[in-house]
Amino acid sequence: MNDRPKALLFDVQGTATDFHSTVVAAAAATLGRRYPGRDWSAFVNDWRAAYFRGTAAVGDRWVGVDSIYRGALDELLTERGMDLPAQARAELNSAWKHLDPWPDAVPGLTRLRRRYTLATLSNADVDAVVSITRHCDFPWHAVFTAEMAGAHKPDPRTYRMAAHYLGAQPGEIMMVASHKYDIRAAAALGFRTAFVARPLEFGDPALADTAFSDEFDINATDFEDLADQLGC
Amino acid sequence: MNDRPKALLFDVQGTATDFHSTVVAAAAATLGRRYPGRDWSAFVNDWRAAYFRGTAAVGDRWVGVDSIYRGALDELLTERGMDLPAQARAELNSAWKHLDPWPDAVPGLTRLRRRYTLATLSNADVDAVVSITRHCDFPWHAVFTAEMAGAHKPDPRTYRMAAHYLGAQPGEIMMVASHKYDIRAAAALGFRTAFVARPLEFGDPALADTAFSDEFDINATDFEDLADQLGC
């Protein structure tokens, strides 16, 4: 790229962090003794899918993602005939606030920080992204989340809030995500796009869409590759 | 302190950054050739004082700090019979987005980051605090500013916005500032307080209130001393 962006916006859950391993481990630890032999990978993927339906369903109301995850967990436990005390449910739900980073994330971001303004643009609540930032030691300059716009991605208000807060035009900002719906929504508003393939996002590589596409400005295998391609 | 806070909120302009040296240098560079022999230190202090009156005067309307600084600059230039083309005025005004850090700020924050969640709570606009964060390489986890609350400090909405976004109670958060009105407003809402003396904030040490006081939980000479007192 000859004409580089000024700022990069990062999706967090799935793109910068490995939620699947983190939440599978939490589910196995919390529920595994009561319900041995269950497929916790499938459980977490169903939970994540219910969360996605939840964020899409809230419409114009603002609903914090923490409560969407919790509602989805409660439904899932009922469906599967599993019981869990309230305190343990709250602890399991909070696993989404303590996600581990992909191994390339901090090294890649550390290289990118020298040259670009880095920020998050996550659907997770602000306190969750701050918690994850501290847990992972992510070196971005700022945290922006859907909560600050009162609307979830892919609602245009989220991307426009971030551009306003960065004091930059959409064309000066690159949205980085492993989810194509996210970067396509940003592209429709004039943002640049970087697709990062995360084959293990849902555990089984067959479940992740990792196909590179010319529709994106950059296709990267991880954050180190992104740093390479952005000249860092 | 036996019972330590979970998170620290930092004022930026004056507390973490040396706006006086930075903006005096910009004013001297921009205006000094046209108007030699003026007292640029006094000019910047009058500009800052006019900004303070401006943030207090806007009441319940939200007005970005960038435009308050610009309005104050325009008034000041008129009062002093000085002329400056629009482009140069915009450049001089943008000096507030490129403030240099106090020498202890990054070393102190780097030590504090290992143990505490760190964020800003500034009256400067988000884009200015992001710009300053990048310029100074400040290692906080998140940027919160008055703009996100639609109200300037010492309005309670600003402190409450930060507590909500941190997912913490006021008593778990320490507000750090060199301005007593700021930490007194936070204390009235139940926040803990750290006063940091910045004798050179306005150039002449006679102009700064650096007196320690028992009303604050911590009185510190700089961010390294703050890190010492907070066990880092």
Side-chain angles (χ1 to χ4, degrees):
Chain A
M1 300 181 78
N2 290 324
D3 179 24
R4 298 189 191 281
K6 291 182 179 172
L8 306 178
L9 286 173
F10 291 85
D11 174 62
V12 176
Q13 294 187 338
T15 302
T17 59
D18 174 8
F19 70 80
H20 188 269
S21 296
T22 312
V23 184
V24 165
T30 310
L31 289 161
R33 219 174 354 164
R34 289 166 172 255
Y35 304 100
R38 304 268 184 137
D39 180 347
W40 300 115
S41 175
F43 181 89
V44 168
N45 287 338
D46 288 347
W47 190 3
R48 176 74 169 173
Y51 148 81
F52 262 111
R53 290 193 302 273
T55 58
V58 294
D60 269 355
R61 284 178 308 136
W62 171 251
V63 180
V65 158
D66 188 64
S67 70
I68 294 176
Y69 273 122
R70 177 58 190 269
L73 174 61
D74 290 344
E75 275 177 35
L76 202 58
L77 291 173
T78 302
E79 274 172 31
R80 311 253 167 135
M82 291 193 258
D83 192 30
L84 195 65
Q87 173 68 19
R89 278 177 202 234
E91 272 172 34
L92 177 52
N93 203 51
S94 77
W96 296 96
K97 299 188 182 186
H98 302 91
L99 306 177
D100 294 329
W102 293 112
D104 52 276
V106 171
L109 291 169
T110 301
R111 291 168 57 197
L112 289 161
R113 179 178 164 107
R114 290 182 212 124
R115 186 157 185 167
Y116 299 98
T117 298
L118 310 182
T120 68
L121 185 58
S122 173
N123 273 343
D125 301 333
V126 178
D127 75 321
V129 179
V130 171
S131 164
I132 289 166
T133 297
R134 186 169 171 199
H135 175 70
C136 297
D137 207 25
F138 283 138
W140 25 65
H141 298 98
V143 158
F144 303 132
T145 91
E147 188 180 6
M148 292 170 170
H152 299 104
K153 295 185 292 183
D155 188 301
R157 285 174 285 178
T158 58
Y159 306 95
R160 289 183 178 137
M161 171 273 297
H164 171 74
Y165 279 166
L166 288 168
Q169 296 301 312
E172 299 172 321
I173 304 169
M174 177 170 279
M175 180 74 216
V176 183
S178 59
H179 311 124
K180 291 175 179 173
Y181 82 92
D182 188 353
I183 49 180
R184 282 181 180 135
L189 300 170
F191 287 72
R192 305 192 205 188
T193 52
F195 173 69
V196 178
R198 292 297 188 194
L200 304 179
E201 175 167 2
F202 304 104
D204 180 351
L207 298 175
D209 176 1
T210 57
F212 285 0
S213 169
D214 286 347
E215 71 184 295
F216 309 124
D217 296 307
I218 287 180
N219 290 279
T221 54
D222 61 20
F223 284 12
E224 295 261 29
D225 183 28
L226 181 65
D228 288 342
Q229 294 190 50
L230 285 168
C232 294
Chain B
M1 301 182 75
N2 290 322
D3 180 24
R4 298 188 191 281
K6 291 182 178 172
L8 307 178
L9 286 173
F10 291 85
D11 174 62
V12 176
Q13 294 186 336
T15 302
T17 59
D18 174 9
F19 70 78
H20 188 269
S21 297
T22 312
V23 184
V24 166
T30 310
L31 289 162
R33 219 171 359 165
R34 289 166 173 254
Y35 304 101
R38 304 268 185 136
D39 180 348
W40 300 115
S41 174
F43 181 88
V44 168
N45 286 338
D46 287 347
W47 190 3
R48 176 75 170 173
Y51 149 82
F52 262 112
R53 289 193 302 274
T55 58
V58 293
D60 268 355
R61 284 178 307 134
W62 171 251
V63 180
V65 158
D66 189 66
S67 70
I68 295 176
Y69 273 122
R70 177 58 190 269
L73 174 61
D74 290 345
E75 275 177 35
L76 202 58
L77 290 172
T78 303
E79 272 172 32
R80 311 255 167 133
M82 291 194 259
D83 192 30
L84 195 64
Q87 174 68 18
R89 278 178 202 235
E91 271 173 34
L92 177 52
N93 203 50
S94 77
W96 295 96
K97 298 188 182 186
H98 302 92
L99 305 177
D100 293 330
W102 293 111
D104 53 276
V106 171
L109 291 169
T110 301
R111 290 168 58 197
L112 289 160
R113 179 177 165 107
R114 288 182 215 125
R115 186 156 185 169
Y116 299 97
T117 298
L118 310 182
T120 68
L121 186 59
S122 172
N123 274 343
D125 300 333
V126 178
D127 75 321
V129 179
V130 171
S131 165
I132 289 166
T133 297
R134 186 170 171 197
H135 175 71
C136 297
D137 207 25
F138 283 138
W140 25 64
H141 298 97
V143 159
F144 303 132
T145 91
E147 188 180 7
M148 291 170 172
H152 299 103
K153 294 185 294 183
D155 188 299
R157 286 174 287 179
T158 58
Y159 306 95
R160 289 184 177 137
M161 171 273 297
H164 170 74
Y165 278 166
L166 288 169
Q169 296 300 311
E172 299 172 322
I173 304 169
M174 178 170 278
M175 180 75 216
V176 182
S178 59
H179 312 123
K180 291 176 179 174
Y181 82 92
D182 188 354
I183 49 179
R184 282 180 180 136
L189 300 170
F191 287 72
R192 305 191 205 190
T193 52
F195 173 70
V196 178
R198 291 299 187 194
L200 304 178
E201 175 166 2
F202 305 104
D204 179 352
L207 298 175
D209 176 2
T210 57
F212 285 180
S213 169
D214 286 346
E215 71 182 294
F216 309 124
D217 296 307
I218 288 181
N219 290 278
T221 54
D222 61 21
F223 284 12
E224 295 261 28
D225 183 26
L226 181 65
D228 289 342
Q229 294 190 51
L230 284 169
C232 296

